[in-house]
Amino acid sequence: MKIFIRWEAYHEQAKKLIAIALPILLAQVAQNSMGLVDTIMAGRVSAADMAAISVGASIWFPLVLFGHGLLLALPPTISYLNGSGKRDRIAHQVRQGLWIVAGCCIPLGLLIYHSDIVILSMDMEAKLADITIRYLRAMLFSLPAYLLMINFRCLSDGIAKTKPAMIITSFGLMLNIPLNYILIYGKFGIPAFGAVGCGIATAIVNWAMCLMMILYSKRARNQRDLKVFEQIIEKPNFATLTKLLKLGFPIAIALCCEVALFALTSLFLSPLGADVVASHQITLNTSSFIFMLPMSLGMAATILVGQYLGEKAPNKAKQVSYAALIVGLSLTLFTALLTILLREQIAMIFVKNVDVIAMAGSLLILAALYQFSDTVQVISSGVLRGYKDTQAILFITLFCYWIIGMPLGYTLAMTDFIVPHLGAQGFWIGFVASLTTAAFLLIYRMINLQKQTDEILLAKLEKK
């Protein structure tokens, strides 16, 4: 009887998780598809235009993700307040988030604007450098819109309303395609801007999505009692900002470090030839696409864990944690099997070169193993964010990626110190080793947190 009751409880939590995670997943797919559309449409102009988007993205994403990471302190904070019946304090968190947006836009904007210093020092072709610089300066106009949208999306996500972001992001994708067509190729009397047109289109789309997200927050019935817009601008509250930044800063650094890890890997592999880099990129793109599944579950887990802790129901928070891991690993079993069985067909989507397909096929087997560790670490990270335990995520991520993953990967890939150099396979073995270690450490941290007595745990969360 007890087993049946426990199973029913986990089943109920799994249903709630999926209901919240599915819109997040679809929103992520739409967001990532915008980048894919940009690359494909710019590639029809010239190789230089397509390369400019790739180079520009390698500068844009780490910087923007830093600002995004700081704002990810809002969902667990808002979900906790929502669960604890303190909805009257949510508006204050959102308004203080606006100061984080303002504080981010200035330094990040300056770094993006002056990225020409880095680009011109890279000894790339003059045409490519010029297109990349103009593309990034067009993208610069979308920076405040993107961060404002994330601020209000965090409000919606924090109260477990994830469908609006899905609908708005899908609209953004639909708007992005015709705008790209007009601005890249020069239609309806507008000059052809090439890759720079992608930057202009992205800025327009981000502002459109930002305004839609704000309009939804203003008019949604489920948010009227929050009174966010009764006082749009309020003075900075340094106590609140300190708490938010204490939660968000570790997330921001962890995101930047993760992006930098994969960017450096591609750079280290470049002397081994275009085929090796291409096979690595195919595997990375495939893994990134599949990663959206567990990442969505991790984000949903953050929301529900925070909400249950706010309700003073740590037992339900624990149930959500394990339900998320069970659902995530069940999906991973399926995606890993598909990755192995269809590895050659997956590679053929990207290229026709037989050698690249063979190399990518062997890397995709490692990527299938990588998925299990990746699922555990991203879901347990999401759970820990719900517990407002973000510093542990940062320390574990830095240790596993940069003390284990990169040194081991580089040694196996580029040197003969342990075995004859393995090329891209070496880095992927390093990824598997680092993520497996991270998965164990994060799960260990999660279990230790949940072992604390309810009184001690809830008292700590009240202070954060």
Side-chain angles (χ1 to χ4, degrees):
M1 186 66 179
K2 284 184 179 179
I3 294 172
F4 177 75
I5 293 170
R6 186 172 292 179
W7 166 250
E8 281 293 305
Y10 283 110
H11 185 252
E12 184 65 28
Q13 298 305 336
K15 286 197 295 184
K16 288 182 180 179
L17 269 168
I18 292 168
I20 294 172
L22 189 57
I24 295 173
L25 172 63
L26 295 175
Q28 289 298 125
V29 170
Q31 189 77 49
N32 288 1
S33 296
M34 288 186 208
L36 181 63
V37 167
D38 286 354
T39 304
I40 292 169
M41 294 182 80
R44 291 175 180 266
V45 177
S46 73
D49 284 85
M50 185 168 70
I53 288 176
S54 178
V55 175
S58 68
I59 294 170
W60 168 263
F61 279 117
L63 294 173
V64 171
L65 283 175
F66 181 83
H68 189 146
L70 290 178
L71 292 168
L72 286 180
L74 287 170
T77 303
I78 290 170
S79 63
Y80 182 84
L81 292 172
N82 186 49
S84 59
K86 298 175 182 176
R87 284 171 65 89
D88 57 306
R89 290 169 55 183
I90 290 175
H92 172 65
Q93 306 294 325
V94 177
R95 292 178 196 138
Q96 293 303 305
L98 294 175
W99 286 109
I100 295 176
V101 171
C104 284
C105 280
I106 296 168
L108 294 178
L110 287 171
L111 287 170
I112 292 166
Y113 184 81
H114 291 293
S115 59
D116 58 325
I117 298 168
V118 176
I119 291 165
L120 293 173
S121 68
M122 291 171 69
D123 293 329
M124 65 177 70
E125 294 177 11
K127 181 183 177 183
L128 174 58
D130 176 62
I131 297 171
T132 305
I133 291 166
R134 290 190 294 120
Y135 167 75
L136 280 170
R137 287 184 177 170
M139 290 284 284
L140 180 57
F141 289 99
S142 71
L143 176 64
Y146 179 81
L147 293 177
L148 276 171
M149 178 185 68
I150 294 300
N151 187 67
F152 285 95
R153 178 180 170 175
C154 286
L155 163 60
S156 186
D157 287 355
I159 59 172
K161 303 297 179 186
T162 54
K163 286 182 183 177
M166 174 193 73
I167 294 167
I168 290 168
T169 311
S170 300
F171 170 81
L173 175 61
M174 293 301 102
L175 180 62
N176 188 55
I177 294 169
L179 282 175
N180 270 355
Y181 177 74
I182 294 166
L183 294 165
I184 293 172
Y185 307 126
K187 303 296 178 181
F188 307 111
I190 293 173
F193 290 102
V196 179
C198 289
I200 299 169
T202 300
I204 295 170
V205 168
N206 278 345
W207 276 109
M209 292 194 299
C210 171
L211 293 173
M212 287 176 72
M213 199 76 235
I214 292 171
L215 191 63
Y216 169 78
S217 296
K218 189 173 183 180
R219 294 193 174 179
R221 288 183 181 178
N222 55 58
Q223 295 184 26
R224 283 179 188 170
D225 65 307
L226 303 181
K227 300 178 182 178
V228 173
F229 296 92
E230 275 196 359
Q231 180 190 351
I232 300 199
I233 298 174
E234 67 178 23
K235 291 180 181 179
N237 184 305
F238 293 104
T240 301
L241 286 171
T242 300
K243 285 184 177 181
L244 288 174
L245 291 173
K246 192 176 178 181
L247 284 175
F249 188 74
I251 301 172
I253 296 295
L255 283 173
C256 285
C257 288
E258 187 174 349
V259 172
L261 177 79
F262 291 109
L264 275 177
T265 300
S266 298
L267 189 66
F268 285 140
L269 286 172
S270 58
L272 300 181
D275 286 358
V276 173
V277 175
S279 66
H280 167 70
Q281 200 62 40
I282 289 166
T283 311
L284 191 57
N285 287 346
T286 305
S287 294
S288 298
F289 183 79
I290 294 169
F291 175 70
M292 287 189 283
L293 281 165
M295 183 182 68
S296 302
L297 285 168
M299 292 171 74
T302 300
I303 295 163
L304 280 178
V305 167
Q307 183 176 307
Y308 285 137
L309 291 172
E311 292 174 2
K312 310 288 191 249
N315 192 48
K316 284 187 177 180
K318 192 184 296 186
Q319 288 172 358
V320 165
S321 308
Y322 292 103
L325 286 166
I326 291 165
V327 173
L329 287 171
S330 300
L331 288 170
T332 301
L333 193 61
F334 177 70
T335 57
L337 187 61
L338 280 183
T339 303
I340 293 170
L341 294 177
L342 302 177
R343 59 188 183 277
E344 290 186 1
Q345 288 84 347
I346 291 169
M348 288 167 67
I349 294 170
F350 296 89
V351 293
K352 294 181 179 178
N353 186 306
V354 177
D355 293 334
V356 175
I357 290 169
M359 282 190 281
S362 63
L363 292 180
L364 284 167
I365 294 173
L366 289 170
L369 294 174
Y370 166 97
Q371 288 172 32
F372 289 95
S373 302
D374 210 13
T375 294
V376 173
Q377 71 87 18
V378 74
I379 290 174
S380 50
S381 292
V383 170
L384 289 173
R385 282 202 298 272
Y387 282 95
K388 300 183 181 180
D389 189 33
T390 57
Q391 286 190 354
I393 299 169
L394 173 61
F395 295 142
I396 290 169
T397 300
L398 289 178
F399 172 74
C400 293
Y401 281 163
W402 293 98
I403 305 300
I404 297 175
M406 180 54 80
L408 176 62
Y410 186 87
T411 302
L412 293 173
M414 309 300 291
T415 74
D416 300 328
F417 184 70
I418 299 174
V419 293
H421 70 275
L422 299 173
Q425 279 189 344
F427 277 115
W428 280 90
I429 292 169
F431 294 160
V432 172
S434 63
L435 279 173
T436 302
T437 308
F440 278 113
L441 291 175
L442 288 165
I443 283 286
Y444 178 76
R445 176 68 179 181
M446 185 185 85
I447 291 170
N448 273 356
L449 263 180
Q450 293 172 343
K451 277 183 179 177
Q452 294 179 16
T453 63
D454 293 355
E455 291 78 13
I456 293 173
L457 180 60
L458 294 171
K460 284 182 179 178
L461 286 166
E462 196 66 40
K463 292 178 183 176
K464 288 186 177 181

